[in-house]
Amino acid sequence: MGSLMQSEPEIEKKPVGIRFLEHIKGSKLSYNAYQAIVLIVTFLAYASYHAARKTTSIVKSALDPQSPDTGLNTLLLRFTSFGSSSGAKEEGGWAPFNGPDGTVLLGEIDVAFLAVYAFGMYFAGHLGDRMNLRIFLTVGMIGTGLFTSLFGVGYWLNIHSFYYFLIMQMLAGLFQSSGWPSVVAVVGKWFNKKKRGLIMGIWNAHTSVGNITGSLIAAAMLRYGWGWSFVVPGVVIVMIGFVNFAFLPVNPEIVGAERDLDGVDSTEKIDNSVNEPLLLSSSDSETEDKKRAVGFIEAWKIPGVAPFALCLFFAKLVAYTFLYWLPFYVSHTAIEGEYLSDETAGNLSTMFDVGGVVGGIMAGYISDRIGARAITAASFMYCSIPALFFYRSYGHISLLANASLMFLTGMLVNGPYALITTAVSADLGTHSSLKGNSRALATVTAIIDGTGSVGAAVGPLLTGYISSRSSWTAVFTMLMGAAFVAGLLLTRLVMAEVAEKIAESRPLDECRTPVDYEQGHVMEV
């Protein structure tokens, strides 16, 4: 274990891939080259996490093919074809999910995955601040690929035990929890605070890119058997895991990289808040890095962590309900009087993620421009309420209307989700109350995203019960209520940021300063 600790980075060799690139080039890589590698590798890593996670929502309609002619409430089944060598063809579903409680069982699979994911997130953040993130992330990716593939192997082994699929999803969720705290912490060590919202908003497109890729792969593989929809993404994430192990430089000190300030003007050199990395490194201040890592309770007490974490609870409740149930909903909703195939529904559902990419970039850019994270996040959440209403009410009119409203909903729902899990987490992970402690970002990120993941578990579970016992209109009402509460939880921070904007509008207040989210007043840095 000691060899994995980051308190002694000088004893670790450069990743083999970095040494290979330097051998080919014949000299050390530049700081900008390392930053590019970090962005590309972490982008691919987390995109593969989401691609593996997305498969369940695409395969649901194959496992539980309820008759669209009579709706979800009847829970009737289509046993139109038998004789598959694997025990049951997709047209007849797959036991035990093709029974009367199939929709509920799929909801329980989702909540089990996300509950373990959220639980593991808290521990992952704690470990991430203490271990070698490259190895930690690689183990998580390989484990995720293994158990995602084993879920699909049940197709060929003719497994119909609910508990087999439940355990495979729970173990996959546990390994998936290593991903987010790790990639945010690594990126935080390489990039400064300038334009953080925009940079992380663009980088955070990996979530939607992963969802889109996972949807397309899983939908394409359905024609060959639903097992392939799990095995292929599982193999992909394992392969990218090895790329991560070979190339990811955890921090500048390990590879001996030094920031080149020749192109930075004098005012930026003086402004430490712009030029310092999001995290102080061990070589920057040996005494600061000797501090113990921030504890779980201490991290919760950092100003702003609690309200943003609770806001993310409801934001991810909405986002993950779409992640897990949107293809199922689309395939069971008549559009222009016709029902779409499972593959077409899966492909159409990617419009939600395309909107999410645009929303994440927009939220990051807007929050950078106005210097107000809470105002941006709350505004997006409130605007998502009418978008959800219109999608439910008018999405059935035509494919164009459905795709357009789905895009708009994805943009407004995923915008604040992306902002809070990236730029806001980085803001709070380097809060002034930490007094320079460089070992907090993974823990803070894990707390915020872990709390959000609890909501992500609750949303799909509630959707499974509500859709089967009431209606999809009731589901959308629940989602609109969650979006409203998410915005409401940021009210105090919004008021603090509004007060800051009013103060800045005075003639003598020419310089912007960040808001102390807890105290609600402007602080000097």
Side-chain angles (χ1 to χ4, degrees):
M1 181 68 73
S3 62
L4 300 181
M5 301 301 290
Q6 287 186 330
S7 58
E8 298 180 3
E10 67 276 7
I11 66 174
E12 182 178 340
K13 295 181 179 179
K14 293 180 181 180
V16 62
I18 297 297
R19 297 202 302 270
F20 174 75
L21 291 177
E22 291 183 341
H23 175 73
I24 296 297
K25 183 181 179 183
S27 62
K28 292 181 60 176
L29 300 177
S30 67
Y31 195 90
N32 288 339
Y34 281 121
Q35 287 182 315
I37 291 172
V38 168
L39 282 180
I40 293 171
V41 173
T42 55
F43 186 98
L44 292 174
Y46 209 68
S48 67
Y49 271 108
H50 264 263
R53 192 181 307 176
K54 181 66 175 179
T55 54
T56 306
S57 66
I58 301 299
V59 177
K60 274 179 179 173
S61 294
L63 299 177
D64 178 26
Q66 302 172 40
S67 173
D69 298 326
T70 52
L72 285 172
N73 294 331
T74 60
L75 294 176
L76 298 177
L77 307 172
R78 294 179 296 181
F79 291 102
T80 59
S81 180
F82 300 92
S84 168
S85 60
S86 296
K89 294 179 69 174
E90 272 70 6
E91 290 82 1
W94 190 269
F97 304 109
N98 58 359
D101 294 327
T103 304
V104 174
L105 292 178
L106 288 171
E108 291 175 352
I109 288 282
D110 291 342
V111 76
F113 171 90
L114 291 168
V116 174
Y117 174 78
F119 180 77
M121 183 78 72
Y122 294 118
F123 290 96
H126 182 79
L127 292 173
D129 279 328
R130 293 160 173 80
M131 295 178 63
N132 183 308
L133 288 171
R134 180 169 61 93
I135 298 177
F136 186 59
L137 185 58
T138 300
V139 171
M141 296 176 73
I142 293 175
T144 297
L146 173 64
F147 291 107
T148 298
S149 298
L150 286 175
F151 190 103
V153 168
Y155 175 80
W156 293 283
L157 296 183
N158 198 24
I159 296 175
H160 297 278
S161 169
F162 169 73
Y163 293 103
Y164 171 83
F165 297 111
L166 180 68
I167 292 172
M168 291 303 103
Q169 279 293 83
M170 291 175 69
L171 291 173
L174 181 63
F175 280 95
Q176 282 248 2
S177 66
S178 66
W180 189 241
S182 300
V183 296
V184 171
V186 171
V187 171
K189 293 181 180 184
W190 280 97
F191 290 87
N192 58 37
K193 297 179 180 180
K194 187 178 181 181
K195 297 183 179 179
R196 176 188 296 165
L198 177 60
I199 292 173
M200 288 193 140
I202 297 172
W203 172 74
N204 193 65
H206 52 47
T207 298
S208 296
V209 170
N211 290 340
I212 294 170
T213 304
S215 297
L216 295 176
I217 291 175
M221 291 297 105
L222 277 177
R223 69 187 66 181
Y224 305 108
W226 63 261
W228 288 110
S229 296
F230 287 91
V231 171
V232 173
V235 172
V236 169
I237 191 173
V238 170
M239 293 173 62
I240 296 178
F242 287 117
V243 172
N244 169 84
F245 180 79
F247 288 94
L248 183 65
V250 173
N251 58 53
E253 291 68 45
I254 287 179
V255 293
E258 296 182 359
R259 176 180 289 274
D260 181 9
L261 297 179
D262 291 340
V264 182
D265 61 45
S266 59
T267 58
E268 287 185 336
K269 290 182 181 181
I270 294 174
D271 184 2
N272 290 331
S273 67
V274 171
N275 289 293
E276 286 182 350
L278 299 184
L279 290 178
L280 293 176
S281 63
S282 58
S283 64
D284 291 332
S285 176
E286 190 67 23
T287 57
E288 290 297 336
D289 261 12
K290 292 297 183 181
K291 292 182 179 182
R292 60 183 175 82
V294 172
F296 182 78
I297 301 301
E298 290 178 272
W300 267 105
K301 294 179 180 178
I302 295 173
V305 168
F308 272 113
L310 294 174
C311 172
L312 190 62
F313 174 96
F314 291 97
K316 288 192 75 169
L317 184 153
V318 179
Y320 269 66
T321 296
F322 274 85
L323 173 69
Y324 278 91
W325 285 100
L326 183 57
F328 187 89
Y329 169 76
V330 171
S331 67
H332 290 77
T333 300
I335 299 176
E336 295 184 274
E338 298 182 359
Y339 292 92
L340 304 180
S341 67
D342 296 339
E343 182 176 354
T344 303
N347 292 335
L348 178 62
S349 70
T350 61
M351 289 303 299
F352 182 83
D353 296 299
V354 174
V357 173
V358 177
I361 295 173
M362 283 182 58
Y365 177 76
I366 292 171
S367 68
D368 279 343
R369 291 285 294 177
I370 68 175
R373 309 288 196 207
I375 291 175
T376 304
S379 298
F380 270 69
M381 291 310 306
Y382 287 135
C383 289
S384 71
I385 296 173
L388 287 163
F389 174 80
F390 287 127
Y391 179 69
R392 172 56 181 165
S393 300
Y394 303 106
H396 66 280
I397 293 177
S398 67
L399 275 174
L400 178 61
N402 192 290
S404 300
L405 291 171
M406 188 187 298
F407 176 91
L408 178 64
T409 303
M411 182 180 71
L412 295 172
V413 169
N414 284 338
Y417 164 28
L419 181 65
I420 294 172
T421 54
T422 55
V424 169
S425 294
D427 289 344
L428 298 176
T430 56
H431 194 272
S432 61
S433 64
L434 296 171
K435 298 179 180 179
N437 194 330
S438 65
R439 302 174 68 185
L441 185 52
T443 299
V444 170
T445 300
I447 286 176
I448 293 177
D449 199 46
T451 303
S453 296
V454 176
V458 172
L461 177 66
L462 290 177
T463 299
Y465 280 98
I466 294 173
S467 64
S468 62
R469 287 166 170 75
S470 181
S471 66
W472 280 102
T473 298
V475 171
F476 275 82
T477 301
M478 180 265 291
L479 296 178
M480 288 185 281
F484 178 75
V485 174
L488 204 62
L489 285 166
L490 297 181
T491 300
R492 185 178 180 183
L493 308 186
V494 169
M495 293 175 63
E497 290 181 345
V498 169
E500 180 197 11
K501 298 300 125 183
I502 294 175
E504 288 178 354
S505 66
R506 298 171 184 172
L508 296 179
D509 295 333
E510 298 178 354
C511 298
R512 292 184 178 180
T513 53
V515 174
D516 183 333
Y517 289 120
E518 179 68 16
Q519 301 299 325
H521 63 270
V522 178
M523 64 180 180
E524 298 293 336
V525 289

